[in-house]
Amino acid sequence: MNGHPDRPNWFSRPAPIGLALGSGVARGWAHIGVLRALERAGIRPDIIAGTSIGAVVGGCYAAGKLHPLEEWATGLTQSRLFRFLDIRLGSSGLIAGNRLADELTDKLGDLEIQHLSQRFIAIATELATGHEIWLREGNLVENLRASYALPGIFNPVRVHNHWLIDGALVNPVPVSVCRAFGARLVIAVNLNADSFGKGTFADAEHLRHDEDEDENAEEGGFRALLSAAKRPDRLLLRQLFGVGNSAPGLTDVMFASLNIIQDRLARSRLAGDPPDITINPQVAHVGLVEFHRARELIDLGEEAMEAAIPTVRDALSFLQ
């Protein structure tokens, strides 16, 4: 995972600009906007390191597939989102994740990280040791799955005989990875900068109300899913999403707990190894699982990056 005799040429090339894309579940769609703003400014990162959703967006960008990802993300509705929840009991995660992986494979094919023209590294966590793993070779989709394998939500992913889970547990905003591969200017995108007291389990309220654009659709969001389910499944869904309860559901607690961990860890790591420029999209009002709000999040990412473009240009002129 960290070494290979046929290392791609891009590992030995100079890397003036490093872009560290942080974790943040649904809020990670803001990374698309960040990359769009950089593109418009004619600024292309030489190396991209991504954690969790940051790895997904960064990997698609490095593969030249950012546009298909953006189209898919902005086309998501609540009802369509539920179709990707292949819930599986009796395994090490609530969601098998095969449907989502199939969607990524449809977009990315069988690309290998080491064959990308763009330098890219995904961050994961080794389950047995807690070690930070830098995934820089092998099947791109498999490595992305490992980077976003939220504990308890998705099954761990076996890569090179190691069971891996979400990289947010060890390095939520991978500035250190960019520096390790020679980046002289590191731009970090932190999706948790304004998250205190916001957007933890409150997002589940949006799943509990049918806001689908077609009120007559057979699958019109959570209510339709709940009413169509058999009684045991209905009870399971209520437990998972907290419907009809005053307390948060199981998934609410798990996502909120991970958010707390990655927020505290990101603060510590960014203080110890600060980036040269930090982009803080104001996305805390968006719930962690509100993937259907991609258009809004992309716009917020663009806005935050555009405001920092003059600073990036000044820094680049200094490096030259």
Side-chain angles (χ1 to χ4, degrees):
M1 283 180 286
N2 290 321
H4 195 280
D6 299 319
R7 203 180 267 180
N9 292 332
W10 47 247
F11 273 103
S12 59
R13 296 202 305 262
I17 306 175
L19 181 64
L21 300 178
S23 57
V25 200
R27 296 167 183 162
W29 294 142
H31 291 316
I32 298 176
V34 168
L35 286 163
R36 289 300 187 209
L38 285 171
E39 279 185 339
R40 280 196 302 274
I43 299 171
R44 182 174 176 81
D46 298 282
I47 181 169
I48 296 176
T51 298
S52 197
I53 185 68
V56 173
V57 176
C60 288
Y61 176 80
K65 302 293 184 179
L66 188 63
H67 182 67
L69 178 69
E70 182 176 0
E71 282 192 327
W72 178 73
T74 54
L76 281 175
T77 62
Q78 291 181 35
S79 58
R80 289 174 186 167
L81 178 59
F82 274 110
R83 296 170 194 168
F84 291 96
L85 302 185
D86 44 352
I87 296 174
R88 178 179 297 176
L89 298 180
S91 64
S92 50
L94 291 172
I95 301 172
N98 294 327
R99 296 174 189 171
L100 180 57
D102 288 344
E103 188 68 30
L104 284 173
T105 299
D106 181 62
K107 301 287 186 295
L108 299 171
D110 295 323
L111 287 172
E112 303 265 321
I113 288 183
Q114 67 269 26
H115 296 150
L116 299 176
S117 60
Q118 176 81 33
R119 279 185 266 197
F120 171 69
I121 295 161
I123 314 306
T125 304
E126 186 176 22
L127 183 60
T129 63
H131 291 166
E132 179 178 337
I133 303 297
W134 297 356
L135 298 167
R136 62 193 197 193
E137 61 186 40
N139 183 268
L140 178 58
V141 172
E142 182 182 57
N143 288 330
L144 296 183
R145 288 188 72 177
S147 187
Y148 69 69
L150 288 156
I153 301 295
F154 291 108
N155 293 329
V157 178
R158 194 168 182 82
V159 178
H160 302 300
N161 295 319
H162 298 268
W163 287 108
L164 304 181
I165 56 176
D166 199 311
L169 295 174
V170 288
N171 198 350
V173 188
V175 171
S176 57
V177 182
C178 292
R179 293 210 189 281
F181 287 98
R184 298 185 63 200
L185 173 69
V186 178
I187 304 168
V189 185
N190 182 12
L191 301 175
N192 297 290
D194 66 334
S195 65
F196 185 74
K198 305 175 185 177
T200 51
F201 63 80
D203 49 61
E205 290 297 327
H206 295 275
L207 294 177
R208 296 166 192 163
H209 299 285
D210 181 4
E211 297 174 355
D212 194 87
E213 68 279 359
D214 183 0
E215 295 182 357
N216 297 318
E218 291 184 7
E219 295 181 315
F222 187 85
R223 286 183 182 176
L225 182 68
L226 192 63
S227 62
K230 296 178 181 179
R231 182 171 179 78
D233 295 335
R234 199 176 302 176
L235 293 174
L236 172 63
L237 290 169
R238 288 184 183 278
Q239 180 181 6
L240 292 178
F241 296 103
V243 177
N245 301 325
S246 58
L250 177 60
T251 54
D252 303 335
V253 173
M254 294 177 72
F255 276 114
S257 298
L258 180 66
N259 190 54
I260 292 169
I261 292 170
Q262 68 181 15
D263 174 50
R264 298 305 186 267
L265 182 56
R267 294 187 195 195
S268 175
R269 295 204 61 156
L270 291 175
D273 186 10
D276 300 293
I277 298 171
T278 304
I279 310 301
N280 297 315
Q282 301 301 294
V283 294
H285 63 286
V286 178
L288 295 173
V289 295
E290 292 187 298
F291 288 94
H292 60 286
R293 298 176 68 177
R295 184 73 271 159
E296 176 185 355
L297 287 161
I298 291 170
D299 291 343
L300 290 169
E302 285 187 86
E303 179 183 326
M305 188 67 247
E306 285 173 353
I309 290 296
T311 304
V312 174
R313 292 195 188 281
D314 288 345
L316 288 175
S317 64
F318 178 78
L319 290 177
Q320 294 172 355

